[in-house]
Amino acid sequence: MTIGAVLAHLQDDFPDLTVSKVRYLDAEGLVSPQRRDSGYREYSERDIERLRFVLAAQRDKFWPLKVIRDALDAFDRGLQPDAGPSGRPHVPAATENAEVPDAESLAQAPRVLRLTPRELAEGSGLTDAEVAELVTFHLVRPDGDGHFTESDLTVARAAHALSAYGVQGRHLRAFRLAADREIGLVEQVGGTTPEQRAQVLAQCLSLHVALVRAGLHEQ
């Protein structure tokens, strides 16, 4: 959309919105529209959503721009900002999983989530030192910007639950090694589509659980 179309799209909800206001929010880095060759701004649906969030936060919550920037960063990383005056982001709650995920759920792309080390610790119940230990043993793996994914959060929460039984990060290295071997097997025989790889992975997980369960009952 052009900036004029943006105004027409948003003015029913924000009747005081002006071109200069939109340009000001652009200059403050709260939206980043593309530029045409002619130099005119071109706003995407994502830009419109961000503008709507910013305008609502200013009108309804009286948030200053710094809090709004932090809240937008939280949204971009898959977090939910608090509705209070601080806008402090919350790590998503754990989702309930079946004992062994089926192929359909395994084929689904994980939600976009990028957590700082502190957020990973708060979201899992681990200490900063325990998160660092998981990183040392490659159980969780930060990206180039130092952020962690939803999979890392699941691993950290499982590590915290196991810590109640005296299991420490160094004890979990066997899981990393076993997972890497299973990953290699899935990549080798799993086919070319996410659905095919998910089918193989589901069977690998079922086999893993069956073998562990059988071994425990044999003791």
Side-chain angles (χ1 to χ4, degrees), residues 187-201:
E187 290 177 341
Q188 181 179 351
V189 303
T192 58
T193 68
E195 291 76 16
Q196 290 171 331
R197 288 191 292 271
Q199 290 283 352
V200 174
L201 177 56

Side-chain angles (χ1 to χ4, degrees), residues 8-22:
H9 189 74
L10 294 176
Q11 275 187 325
D12 284 347
D13 295 326
F14 305 98
D16 296 331
L17 185 62
T18 63
V19 168
S20 60
K21 171 75 170 182
V22 175

Side-chain angles (χ1 to χ4, degrees), residues 25-81:
L25 295 176
D26 181 5
E28 290 293 322
L30 298 173
V31 290
S32 302
Q34 298 293 317
R35 293 273 187 167
R36 295 178 179 175
D37 293 339
S38 60
Y40 287 102
R41 295 174 176 85
E42 191 169 66
Y43 293 81
S44 67
E45 288 295 331
R46 177 176 173 79
D47 294 322
I48 302 300
E49 291 176 6
R50 289 172 72 88
L51 274 173
R52 186 181 296 278
F53 175 82
V54 171
L55 295 169
Q58 288 182 318
R59 182 193 63 192
D60 302 335
K61 301 176 182 177
F62 306 102
W63 281 355
L65 290 184
K66 180 183 184 307
V67 174
I68 293 175
R69 284 194 186 92
D70 291 343
L72 286 172
D73 173 69
F75 271 127
D76 289 342
R77 295 189 293 114
L79 304 177
Q80 181 63 44

Side-chain angles (χ1 to χ4, degrees), residues 16 31 34-35 38-39 48 59-60 66 83 87-88 109 117-118 120 131 137 145 153 158 161 165 168 172 185 214 217:
D16 296 331
V31 290
Q34 298 293 317
R35 293 273 187 167
S38 60
I48 302 300
R59 182 193 63 192
D60 302 335
K66 180 183 184 307
R88 188 174 182 272
R118 181 89 286 272
L120 182 65
V131 168
F137 296 122
D145 295 324
L153 179 60
Y165 302 95
Q168 300 176 1
L172 302 176
L185 178 62
H217 283 294

Side-chain angles (χ1 to χ4, degrees), residues 121-147:
E122 292 178 353
S124 64
L126 296 174
T127 65
D128 294 339
E130 288 169 333
V131 168
E133 185 181 32
L134 294 184
V135 173
T136 298
F137 296 122
H138 306 291
L139 292 159
V140 296
R141 295 171 172 174
D143 63 16
D145 295 324
H147 290 124

